Amino acid sequence: MQTGNLLLLLVVMVAGAYYLGHRRSYALARPLGGIRHLHSLPFYFAMRSAMWCAIPAMVVLALWLAFDDSIIRQQVLASLPQQLQPTDASSYNLTLSKIQNVASGALPTSFVEPPIAEAAQRLQSLKQTSAMALTVVVIVLCMLGGAWAWLKVSPQLRARQQVERVLQTIFMLCATVAILTTVGIVLSVLFESIRFFGRVPVTDFLFGLQWSPQTALRADQVASGGAFGAVPLFMGTLLISAIALLVAVPVGLMSAIYLAEYASNRVRTVAKPALEVLAGVPTVVYGFFAALTVAPFIRGLGESIGLNVASESALAAGLVMGIMIIPFVSSLADDVITAVPQAMRDGSLGLGATKSETIKKVIFPAALPGIMGGILLAASRAIGETMIVVMAAGLAANLTANPLEAVTTITVQIVTLLTGDQEFDSAKTLAAFALGLMLFITTLVMNIFALHIVKKYREQYD
Amino acid sequence: METAQQLDKRSLGNNDAAKDKAIKEQDTMTQDTPYPEQTVGSPYVDDPKMRLRDVEVFYADNQAIHGVSLDIGKNEVVSLIGPSGCGKSTFLRCLNRMNDTIDICRVKGDLRLEDQDLYDPKLDVVELRARVGMVFQKPNPFPKSIYDNVAYGPRIHGLANKKYDLDEIVENSLQKAGLWNEVKDRLHSPGTGLSGGQQQRLCIARTIAVSPEVVLMDEPCSALDPIATAKIEELISELSESYTIAIVTHSMQQAARVSHRTAYFHLGRLIEMNDTDTVFTKPEHDLTEAYITGRFG
């Protein structure tokens, strides 16, 4: 049976187990005088039955699906005669794909050696057996689990506690998935970065002022030796992010204050979602808006007052990015400002403070943690943003603080390093991982720093 | 809520039969007692600090206060009592225009602080609130230090030019509020770290730091234990030497202990107002008597 169908069947069986558990708990409760004589509500007995039915079967199913492919593969390869046994990784893959192609019918048997054809047949039959066995095992486990739970239902059974404990474990596992993923990403980036630093010294990378990652792929190619100084990229990132935050923080904060404190309910219900739509516009749309509208406008403006502005400038990218991240600041700040208790406002107004004094001296300090959270979120969006910069700020790694020149950022360089046909063992592609690691560390440090600031200046109300 | 609305609509139309019927629905304890045509007792005094005439308050279409007229004399403690929802707090909040913060609230009538019309469109509400301070039901110190809490008002009104002056105002106010000895060693620790009673006295200190003429107190002791309550009551008696005080309270003993005159509110109307002793010993109106003897409320 196919896995999809098997899952469907599993769902039906679990529902059945739930129903039977429910029925049985009621049946047991009736002679005792109602469900209040049971230790737990019938729902918990039913849930317990459903869990016994589902969880063992699901675990076996998951493990089976995770490992059956590699086990079958090994079995098939082991059955090959000695001279056809693969010796290294590439020939291993080649042989395997040959067998698989024959098995799926894409490659006629006449094109391959007879042992390969045999192996293909073997692969086919093993797969069939495996699927059959899986179906049987899962169904049997399901029934056994369900029956066991059904038999155990009794008025004294502590079903509620057991169900709660299982749920707690499931929640914990879900949280673990997120954490493990993060750890996995960090580790993989870290190891690739270490490989990179094996080729390019760390100091060159961190303090070098030249970024030109083009290296020769083959020995006969004419190319530069490559320079991996990340400083221009960091500068570019910081420059664009700073411009973006300069736009987004004041505008976002003030619009949040307007929405939370001054706007009438009617304005608020329209304006807040409208502002949040800004966050929903795809960044590529912002990108061509920046490249086709804002950048030429800035260049024209610069020329009219005699400035030399590049057609792709940090200013254009930063301004548009600033617009994009306004909702991150405004929406979060608006929420925390609204959450400051009315008693604080009353206290201040009752002393004769004006509305703006109240906002400045009471509400803003009380809402500071949330506001910082919003700004941080906006900053990490700005640092991580790629599309707008690709389209509006260019690829030239200039080391400059002049917002009217073209700059490039870390994320843009990662994109250009990894797109197209690449080999993943050259310094050029590995540099992307090192850049990613740096980016990760930067945002991490920024977060820690901001948390520290918030802790120090927060005014806690209760 | 619905019956209250019906009541309001009918009473606006001056339909006596409907009014009586609505009262029956509202309050079976007092079903035979009609409202007085006019407030009984003596709501007016000579040379009042605040002169309030025909005050009506609406929340959207819902009338909360019906033609209340009374005076608050100089250096007098007036207590406003009555069952929950009778409009005492709403009325109190008109006196320094805190009701302005509620969008749907409208106030009608002639309200004066000495000669100043409170609802004069040209009036600066900031200045009014500096003259008429307010202490709220739940202690609401700002999440700042004790010093900054008290200095908040003087700072925004520019009452102190030098640090020295400000220190003096803070010390004086805390002393008047009877809190100085308890907090003088930790003026720079957060005000939210104090106990409930101390927080409320801090709020009183914060209010008197701007030297108001009138202090409004909206159930200032309802969130406090008996000991803290006793301290605040003592404080109110002391403060009445230099301030005019209007206090809303649910405790009749408290009203009897601290106030000179007492006003009894019932469903948005001022039923009776008189010397506190008279109200509690010889109430003139049946509704007042029913309330103070504990037949409802």
Side-chain angles (χ1 to χ4, degrees):
Chain A
M1 197 184 293
Q2 299 226 310
T3 319
N5 292 343
L6 189 59
L7 274 175
L8 265 182
L9 184 69
L10 199 63
V11 169
V12 172
M13 289 177 75
V14 168
Y18 181 93
Y19 174 71
L20 288 175
H22 205 259
R23 281 254 319 246
R24 183 160 161 85
S25 63
Y26 265 106
L28 281 175
R30 208 165 297 122
L32 293 174
I35 56 167
R36 68 201 163 84
H37 294 280
L38 296 177
H39 172 271
S40 311
L41 284 174
F43 166 77
Y44 288 103
F45 289 109
M47 273 306 279
R48 184 176 178 276
S49 303
M51 282 171 173
W52 265 106
C53 181
I55 292 172
M58 292 289 276
V59 170
V60 167
L61 181 66
L63 289 177
W64 196 295
L65 289 180
F67 292 111
D68 78 332
D69 242 22
S70 57
I71 292 174
I72 290 175
R73 227 180 275 154
Q74 267 177 8
Q75 293 246 328
V76 170
L77 283 179
S79 71
L80 284 179
Q82 191 61 45
Q83 70 273 20
L84 283 173
Q85 286 285 346
T87 46
D88 57 7
S90 57
S91 69
Y92 174 89
N93 282 335
L94 188 68
T95 320
L96 209 61
S97 67
K98 238 192 228 168
I99 296 173
Q100 266 158 354
N101 282 339
V102 175
S104 67
L107 197 64
T109 36
S110 50
F111 278 80
V112 292
E113 301 91 330
I116 299 275
E118 261 170 47
Q121 255 176 1
R122 206 178 147 76
L123 179 76
Q124 203 78 313
S125 73
L126 272 177
K127 269 191 172 162
Q128 271 169 3
T129 325
S130 158
M132 274 298 291
L134 176 63
T135 309
V136 171
V137 168
V138 165
I139 291 174
V140 166
L141 266 178
C142 237
M143 287 166 112
L144 278 181
W148 166 253
W150 189 82
L151 282 173
K152 287 283 276 187
V153 173
S154 74
Q156 292 83 34
L157 181 69
R158 296 159 66 82
R160 177 160 33 87
Q161 280 87 338
Q162 292 177 5
V163 169
E164 291 292 333
R165 214 173 309 138
V166 171
L167 284 179
Q168 192 188 336
T169 316
I170 291 175
F171 296 143
M172 200 194 68
L173 285 177
C174 287
T176 320
V177 167
I179 294 169
L180 285 183
T181 315
T182 314
V183 171
I185 290 174
V186 171
L187 285 183
S188 79
V189 170
L190 187 69
F191 285 129
E192 297 294 331
S193 301
I194 290 171
R195 275 176 70 193
F196 171 73
F197 290 131
R199 288 158 207 237
V200 177
V202 183
T203 45
D204 282 11
F205 177 72
L206 287 181
F207 305 113
L209 303 181
Q210 271 288 323
W211 178 263
S212 120
Q214 296 309 324
T215 49
L217 286 177
R218 301 184 309 275
D220 57 341
Q221 221 172 13
V222 181
S224 64
F228 294 95
V231 173
L233 307 188
F234 271 95
M235 277 303 292
T237 306
L238 287 183
L239 184 63
I240 289 181
S241 303
I243 295 171
L245 286 175
L246 275 180
V247 174
V249 171
V251 175
L253 264 186
M254 287 188 225
S255 57
I257 289 173
Y258 169 72
L259 283 179
E261 296 291 324
Y262 292 97
S264 70
N265 249 339
R266 203 143 34 110
V267 173
R268 196 179 140 85
T269 46
V270 177
K272 199 172 179 215
L275 243 177
E276 276 159 10
V277 165
L278 277 181
V281 177
T283 55
V284 67
V285 175
Y286 279 114
F288 64 68
F289 175 63
L292 301 182
T293 314
V294 178
F297 174 75
I298 290 175
R299 192 182 51 189
L301 203 68
E303 271 167 5
S304 67
I305 56 170
L307 282 173
N308 191 12
V309 184
S311 56
E312 291 179 320
S313 64
L315 190 60
L319 285 179
V320 174
M321 201 193 280
I323 303 287
M324 181 191 80
I325 61 181
I326 284 174
F328 290 92
V329 180
S330 73
S331 190
L332 257 124
D334 175 59
D335 287 344
V336 290
I337 289 174
T338 318
V340 173
Q342 183 64 29
M344 293 292 128
R345 293 185 182 86
D346 283 352
S348 175
L349 293 173
L351 286 169
T354 63
K355 214 160 186 179
S356 64
E357 283 167 341
T358 304
I359 291 164
K360 198 168 63 190
K361 297 191 169 174
V362 175
I363 295 176
F364 189 78
L368 187 68
I371 291 171
M372 277 305 281
I375 293 176
L376 258 186
L377 193 64
S380 13
R381 264 314 288 267
I383 290 176
E385 173 52 37
T386 315
M387 213 58 221
I388 294 175
V389 192
V390 173
M391 294 170 85
L395 298 172
N398 294 325
L399 181 57
T400 173
N402 180 0
L404 302 178
E405 279 184 41
V407 296
T408 189
T409 67
I410 296 174
T411 50
V412 169
Q413 287 306 314
I414 293 178
V415 170
T416 52
L417 288 176
L418 293 187
T419 42
D421 283 340
Q422 302 292 355
E423 258 188 301
F424 273 84
D425 53 0
S426 71
K428 184 186 159 200
T429 43
L430 288 174
F433 290 98
L435 286 176
L437 185 69
M438 288 300 120
L439 202 57
F440 176 75
I441 292 174
T442 315
T443 37
L444 192 70
V445 168
M446 213 172 69
N447 275 310
I448 293 171
F449 186 63
L451 275 179
H452 183 73
I453 289 183
V454 164
K455 232 185 210 163
K456 196 165 170 193
Y457 291 104
R458 126 175 246 198
E459 291 190 347
Q460 204 161 5
Y461 58 83
D462 277 310
Chain B
M1 206 59 208
E2 199 181 313
T3 52
Q5 257 169 2
Q6 285 168 357
L7 168 73
D8 290 329
K9 273 177 200 153
R10 285 164 188 166
S11 59
L12 276 173
N14 266 336
N15 183 336
D16 280 353
K19 200 196 284 179
D20 286 347
K21 191 174 166 240
I23 295 165
K24 274 178 204 161
E25 287 167 5
Q26 193 76 29
D27 189 351
T28 51
M29 287 300 293
T30 57
Q31 52 185 300
D32 300 323
T33 318
Y35 294 131
E37 285 294 310
Q38 277 196 315
T39 304
V40 297
S42 50
Y44 309 128
V45 296
D46 296 333
D47 190 20
K49 184 74 186 173
M50 297 191 93
R51 184 178 175 279
L52 313 154
R53 293 292 178 272
D54 305 316
V55 178
E56 304 206 315
V57 181
F58 301 85
Y59 289 114
D61 294 331
N62 210 342
Q63 190 167 7
I65 303 276
H66 303 261
V68 169
S69 299
L70 61 88
D71 285 340
I72 300 173
K74 281 208 176 82
N75 290 8
E76 188 179 49
V77 181
V78 167
S79 60
L80 313 178
I81 61 170
S84 296
C86 68
K88 347 177 258 299
S89 293
T90 301
F91 180 74
L92 194 75
R93 288 169 68 95
C94 296
L95 305 186
N96 71 344
R97 290 187 49 179
M98 281 306 285
N99 279 340
D100 289 11
T101 57
I102 301 164
D103 289 338
I104 55 167
C105 183
R106 280 181 302 123
V107 178
K108 280 190 197 164
D110 185 33
L111 298 89
R112 285 176 189 280
L113 170 64
E114 290 176 336
D115 291 330
Q116 175 67 58
D117 179 1
L118 298 189
Y119 282 82
D120 184 350
K122 287 196 289 264
L123 171 86
D124 181 8
V125 69
V126 166
E127 194 193 321
L128 168 68
R129 287 178 188 153
R131 293 177 70 189
V132 183
M134 187 154 198
V135 176
F136 296 87
Q137 179 170 1
K138 215 179 135 220
N140 59 346
F142 301 129
K144 300 174 184 294
S145 72
I146 295 169
Y147 184 94
D148 287 339
N149 259 287
V150 182
Y152 186 85
R155 275 185 182 138
I156 56 176
H157 293 295
L159 298 183
N161 292 324
K162 298 200 184 90
K163 175 91 169 75
Y164 176 79
D165 293 339
L166 195 59
D167 287 349
E168 198 173 282
I169 292 177
V170 169
E171 180 174 347
N172 273 338
S173 311
L174 284 170
Q175 246 158 11
K176 277 191 200 161
L179 196 60
W180 176 250
N181 286 330
E182 291 162 57
V183 301
K184 65 181 174 203
D185 298 326
R186 46 171 174 152
L187 286 177
H188 295 282
S189 54
T192 41
L194 297 172
S195 75
Q198 289 174 325
Q199 286 190 11
Q200 194 62 299
R201 278 182 283 150
L202 177 62
C203 293
I204 294 175
R206 185 175 75 182
T207 306
I208 57 185
V210 291
S211 318
E213 298 159 37
V214 181
V215 179
L216 309 174
M217 298 187 173
D218 188 359
E219 297 180 38
C221 302
S222 63
L224 305 181
D225 67 42
I227 295 170
T229 302
K231 280 198 176 149
I232 304 258
E233 286 178 5
E234 205 177 305
L235 177 60
I236 292 170
S237 306
E238 282 167 25
L239 292 177
S240 68
E241 286 165 21
S242 28
Y243 305 96
T244 301
I245 296 173
I247 175 171
V248 164
T249 177
H250 268 295
S251 155
M252 281 172 278
Q253 291 87 342
Q254 184 169 68
R257 281 192 296 262
V258 301
S259 65
H260 303 123
R261 293 197 307 138
T262 297
Y264 173 66
F265 280 72
H266 189 90
L267 294 180
R269 288 178 173 77
L270 177 59
I271 304 296
E272 179 165 353
M273 185 165 185
N274 224 326
D275 290 341
T276 298
D277 284 346
T278 317
V279 170
F280 284 104
T281 52
K282 294 191 287 289
E284 286 176 39
H285 197 270
D286 292 346
L287 281 171
T288 319
E289 192 186 351
Y291 181 68
I292 64 169
T293 54
R295 276 199 272 139
F296 68 89

